[in-house]
Amino acid sequence: GKFKLQKVEGYEDVDGGSVKMAYTEQSGNLYFYAAFGHYGVVKIDYTNAASPVLVDAVPTASECVDVEIANGRLYVGDHGGGLVLFK
């Protein structure tokens, strides 16, 4: 499905919204990691679905088009920027 940040300055009008998302649970909190095109990758605390919180937004070198979580790492497909890893 698609996810679009509503009411977050600078992200509310991103064309097409999120490209891909992955999620994980850490210490009882639910986090979404979303590939957000030219804006990079965003981390959203979705523990309270009625009030999600944008935790962090990290710009990437190119256009963030995919995210996957494996072995405690976030793998980001960054189109022309290649593969980016976050721990």
Side-chain angles (χ1 to χ4, degrees), residues 2 18 77:
K2 287 194 173 190
S18 172

Side-chain angles (χ1 to χ4, degrees), residues 60-61 74-78 81-86:
T60 56
L74 178 66
Y75 296 84
V76 175
D78 194 33
L83 181 64
V84 181
L85 294 123
F86 293 94

